[in-house]
Amino acid sequence: MADDSLTGETRPAAERSRSERPAAKRGAFAALSLFVRQIIDELRKVVRPTRREWLTYTGVVIAFVVAIMIFVFGLDQGFSRLVFFVFAGTGS
């Protein structure tokens, strides 16, 4: 018996329609073809950014990367001076 998840009823597997049968029953090429068709259908749903949005997103990413670079540079300089002070005895 197969469980109908929407109604909670059970029914024999023979009553299921062909589209409800598991993908394992289909051939390998049919499954691959279905997969590719689904990919193409999903790609058609993608909303591409406008040029202005693309430039805005690019600017935000570049600004964020530069900010993180400055932060890491500051940490590097601070730790290197601290290590130099601890092991060499004098700060520069």
Side-chain angles (χ1 to χ4, degrees):
M1 294 275 183
D3 181 30
D4 188 358
S5 60
L6 294 177
T7 63
E9 298 176 7
T10 58
R11 57 190 174 163
E15 291 181 13
R16 285 189 279 169
S17 69
R18 182 175 180 150
S19 63
E20 293 180 28
R21 290 189 182 144
K25 297 282 184 179
R26 298 183 185 142
F29 290 110
L32 183 61
S33 173
L34 175 64
F35 179 68
V36 170
R37 279 189 311 226
Q38 288 175 344
I39 289 173
I40 292 170
D41 287 341
E42 289 300 318
L43 286 175
R44 286 186 180 141
K45 296 177 188 176
V46 173
V47 177
R48 308 245 192 287
T50 64
R51 181 173 178 82
R52 184 179 178 120
E53 290 172 335
W54 183 81
L55 290 172
T56 301
Y57 298 154
T58 302
V60 167
V61 168
I62 290 173
F64 182 75
V65 168
V66 168
I68 295 299
M69 286 173 52
I70 292 170
F71 177 72
V72 170
F73 176 76
L75 286 176
D76 183 49
Q77 291 298 311
F79 284 128
S80 64
R81 288 178 192 234
L82 178 66
V83 168
F84 185 75
F85 176 74
V86 168
F87 291 111
T90 59
S92 56

